[in-house]
Amino acid sequence: MEWIQQLVNGISLGSIYALIALGYTMVYGIIKLINFAHGEVFMIGAFIGFYAIGGWGLSFVPALLLAMAVCAIIGVVIERVAYKRLRNATRIAALITAIGVSLFIQYGVIYIRGAQPEAYPNVLPSKTFEIFGVNISSQSLLILSVSIILMIILQFIVHRTKMGKAMRAVSFDAEAARLMGINVDRTISFTFAIGSALAGAAGVIFGTYYTKIDPLMGVIPGLKAFVAAVLGGIGIIPGAMVGGLVLGVVETVVSAFGYSLWRDAAAFIILILILIFKPSGLFGKNTREKV
Amino acid sequence: MLKVNEINVNYGNIRALKGVSLDVNEGEIVTLIGANGAGKSTLLKTLSGLLKPKEGTIEYLGKSIAGKPAQTIVKAGISHVPEGRRVFANMTVEENLELGAYLRNDSAGIRQDFAKVYELFPRLEERKKQLSGTLSGGEQQMLAMGRALMARPKLLLLDEPSMGLAPLLVQTIFRIIEEINRDGTTILLVEQNAHMALSIANRAYVVETGKIVISGTAEELQASEEVKMAYLGGH
Ligand SMILES: Nc1ncnc2c1ncn2[C@@H]1O[C@H](COP(=O)(O)OP(=O)(O)OP(=O)(O)O)[C@@H](O)[C@H]1O
Ligand SMILES: [Mg+2]
């Protein structure tokens, strides 16, 4: 029964990767940019949650919503200030800009509050349930439910709302979308807002689950979420969800077999394998453009 | 209704339209014919706001629309069915039609127009839940036209609707264009198939390398030796 517990841990970790990966994939889908500053939005979300819970005494859900709202705004500002003017520039210019934004945010946060890590306040009840002989912590369950709820809301927005349909239209063919009267700039802003809000939520969830945060915490989860997005097929929303879960489970299994030093390497081995054997990702068609 | 006056349009440093002027009156079908690369699509894209003219004016219903964003122009009543259909292949037929009505909020009117489009193109109703990428070329053309009609346009811009279609289907599409026109929509039709286009149009313009070189009524152009030689296969 040990392995079911590991599976639950893996899925919890994976759902955090999935939430971050969704932002990567949505932004890539709409402007073909790998937003390397996305991991930093995740970090900012974690800090907003930290101050909201520890400083202002908010409980988990209000802190989560606040972090999502602030991150949404930050995401929109990043796009407006840094990426918008590069829409017709070469990809490499946009990529370098994204890395620049990422470093700017990391060291901006260090400049403002210092580099010291923080211990996340404990907001969630930490009970352990026994279900069919398997011990599952209430935290894992809560994190999993929050992630699932957010993904369901996202699916609803993307498939049922006007804005979501506009997003899909712009990512498929921006010029044809303009002919429908869709405001492409506003749709891109909306995409950044949604993707960044999900990253912010992931930050708060990560903080509550792993209890330690610091200004460079976005780098590794950011990279792994990127791997998850590529694994699922970049630009494809369900792909990011599945890619995140698969990656989380693989990492946990690798640690469980006693190879915890290999945990981080596992993600990058997966990235290399997927780029060699199926560059369009699990959900991608093989004709898609490669990353 | 539409008055284009001496517009110049560039792609970077390349001038694609050089001093183009043309008029479309309410209720007409006007066709624009010309060889590959003449600048026909460029003109339509400029009218629908995808491109901005460098010089010149475009007046629509008495207001200047040159350089206005596409959404303003759609809202004002000009819909553009682009060359190559450009349907949203990742969405269903129904979703494509909904997007055509993106700027509208009158749900009763939208429902009416759904019914109208399905009446005009019964094929689309049969396939409304199908992903539009899996439609045949002819069905995609119908969808692109239906999608544009969902904006309830006063002026419809059609870019080569007959491209790549079998002769029988071309006939159907042209019959439907006439039907749309009879319902009160003015039409500016770009075509390579000059023969068919002239047979339904009131007036026509011929474009060559970014300039209008001939204009007149459809009958005049059908009778013109020059047009016959260059665009009607020489008989
Ligand atoms: N995006 C672009 N960038 C640069 N040049 C372009 C672009 N689009 C069109 N052109 C050029 O502008 C000129 C006019 O092109 P346009 O597409 O308007 O021709 P067309 O009359 O529609 O031709 P066709 O019948 O083949 O569709 C051509 O010389 C073309 O090469
Ligand atoms: Mg053309």
Side-chain angles (χ1 to χ4, degrees):
Chain A
M1 284 303 158
E2 165 80 16
W3 66 273
I4 296 193
Q5 254 158 268
Q6 293 297 347
L7 192 65
V8 172
N9 291 340
I11 291 174
S12 302
L13 174 62
S15 63
I16 295 176
Y17 290 155
L19 286 176
I20 311 174
L22 283 166
Y24 270 115
T25 230
M26 287 163 67
V27 163
Y28 183 85
I30 209 154
I31 55 170
K32 305 291 173 277
L33 164 78
I34 305 291
N35 177 16
F36 273 115
H38 194 58
E40 278 50 62
V41 176
F42 158 80
M43 176 268 290
I44 290 176
F47 272 96
I48 305 272
F50 170 77
Y51 292 119
I53 296 166
W56 312 328
L58 294 189
S59 57
F60 179 76
V61 173
L64 185 81
L65 294 177
L66 179 70
M68 288 175 75
V70 174
C71 287
I73 294 168
I74 289 174
V76 171
V77 171
I78 291 174
E79 194 271 331
R80 282 286 152 107
V81 173
Y83 301 150
K84 192 174 172 192
R85 65 199 79 214
L86 292 171
R87 250 180 241 161
N88 298 317
T90 57
R91 287 226 191 162
I92 194 77
L95 203 62
I96 290 169
T97 306
I99 293 170
V101 173
S102 160
L103 291 172
F104 174 81
I105 296 176
Q106 285 167 16
Y107 291 95
V109 170
I110 290 177
Y111 180 79
I112 293 168
R113 63 162 296 285
Q116 75 282 9
E118 298 285 356
Y120 226 72
N122 202 344
V123 268
L124 296 178
S126 46
K127 268 189 272 167
T128 308
F129 299 101
E130 214 189 273
I131 306 170
F132 305 120
V134 184
N135 291 322
I136 292 173
S137 79
S138 58
Q139 291 203 344
S140 309
L141 278 184
L142 202 78
I143 283 169
L144 202 57
S145 348
V146 170
S147 310
I148 290 172
I149 291 169
L150 289 174
M151 290 185 213
I152 291 173
I153 294 175
L154 177 70
Q155 284 295 321
F156 177 82
I157 292 175
V158 170
H159 289 277
R160 295 273 174 269
T161 67
K162 218 166 172 177
M163 211 25 157
K165 284 178 189 166
M167 268 168 60
R168 284 190 292 150
V170 172
S171 58
F172 188 79
D173 184 341
E175 197 174 72
R178 283 168 68 196
L179 292 179
M180 304 299 106
I182 293 170
N183 183 331
V184 171
D185 286 342
R186 204 187 309 150
T187 309
I188 291 174
S189 290
F190 182 77
T191 307
F192 270 86
I194 301 267
S196 304
L198 292 175
V204 179
I205 293 173
F206 182 95
T208 344
Y209 198 59
Y210 294 99
T211 68
K212 185 180 147 261
I213 62 168
D214 69 80
L216 300 182
M217 68 182 274
V219 178
I220 295 295
L223 277 174
K224 289 187 182 165
F226 168 64
V227 173
V230 174
L231 174 61
I234 191 129
I236 304 168
I237 287 178
M241 296 181 188
V242 173
L245 290 177
V246 169
L247 189 60
V249 170
V250 168
E251 283 196 355
T252 313
V253 167
V254 168
S255 322
F257 277 110
Y259 300 101
S260 38
L261 288 177
W262 284 88
R263 220 185 84 152
D264 287 350
F268 300 103
I269 292 171
I270 289 180
L271 178 64
I272 291 166
L273 291 179
I274 202 94
L275 288 179
I276 293 173
F277 293 107
K278 197 158 187 315
S280 56
L282 296 177
F283 283 55
K285 295 183 194 62
N286 268 327
T287 51
R288 280 184 82 89
E289 191 178 1
K290 293 173 185 116
V291 184
Chain B
M1 160 179 239
L2 181 75
K3 228 177 182 40
V4 177
N5 193 23
E6 293 285 322
I7 56 167
N8 293 330
V9 178
N10 282 18
Y11 291 107
N13 290 324
I14 304 161
R15 177 145 294 182
L17 294 183
K18 306 158 192 157
V20 168
S21 301
L22 97 184
D23 295 298
V24 179
N25 302 316
E26 195 150 359
E28 279 187 316
I29 298 182
V30 173
T31 185
L32 201 64
I33 55 184
N36 290 114
K40 307 179 296 295
S41 299
T42 304
L43 177 60
L44 292 197
K45 285 182 180 176
T46 312
L47 296 178
S48 58
L50 296 179
L51 299 172
K52 289 186 202 316
K54 258 216 134 63
E55 278 103 21
T57 60
I58 306 173
E59 222 176 78
Y60 166 72
L61 297 175
K63 289 204 189 83
S64 162
I65 56 163
K68 288 267 162 63
Q71 73 250 26
T72 310
I73 293 174
V74 176
K75 196 143 204 164
I78 301 181
S79 285
H80 177 172
V81 181
E83 184 174 331
R85 290 102 201 204
R86 309 275 287 267
V87 298
F88 300 110
N90 56 340
M91 290 189 233
T92 63
V93 167
E94 202 171 30
E95 286 175 316
N96 270 269
L97 293 176
E98 279 171 24
L99 281 167
Y102 184 76
L103 289 175
R104 295 173 58 185
N105 293 313
D106 56 324
S107 42
I110 293 174
R111 264 199 308 280
Q112 263 175 21
D113 286 349
F114 259 108
K116 231 187 205 164
V117 166
Y118 286 149
E119 197 187 311
L120 215 49
F121 305 105
R123 279 286 190 95
L124 296 183
E125 182 159 32
E126 289 161 26
R127 284 150 205 269
K128 62 182 174 191
K129 298 289 177 203
Q130 192 172 324
L131 281 183
S132 63
T134 63
L135 297 177
S136 74
E139 290 159 354
Q140 291 193 5
Q141 183 60 45
M142 295 175 188
L143 178 57
M145 287 168 65
R147 187 178 65 175
L149 289 176
M150 289 303 293
R152 217 178 250 193
K154 299 189 186 83
L155 172 63
L156 185 62
L157 312 176
L158 294 167
D159 198 344
E160 300 200 32
S162 75
M163 188 163 71
L165 303 185
L168 203 64
L169 207 51
V170 174
Q171 301 247 333
T172 312
I173 294 284
F174 273 82
R175 186 180 48 71
I176 292 171
I177 294 172
E178 285 188 289
E179 207 169 317
I180 294 169
N181 178 248
R182 262 200 306 279
D183 267 359
T185 310
T186 308
I187 286 171
L188 178 56
L189 169 67
V190 161
E191 260 304 333
Q192 297 263 0
N193 189 338
H195 194 72
M196 284 297 286
L198 288 174
S199 74
I200 67 164
N202 303 105
R203 289 188 305 112
Y205 292 87
V206 178
V207 198
E208 258 170 38
T209 57
K211 287 190 187 119
I212 304 267
V213 290
I214 308 175
S215 65
T217 65
E219 292 78 27
E220 282 166 8
L221 264 75
Q222 276 167 327
S224 135
E225 286 304 319
E226 216 179 327
V227 174
K228 273 190 198 164
M229 287 303 293
Y231 301 103
L232 296 174
H235 342 282

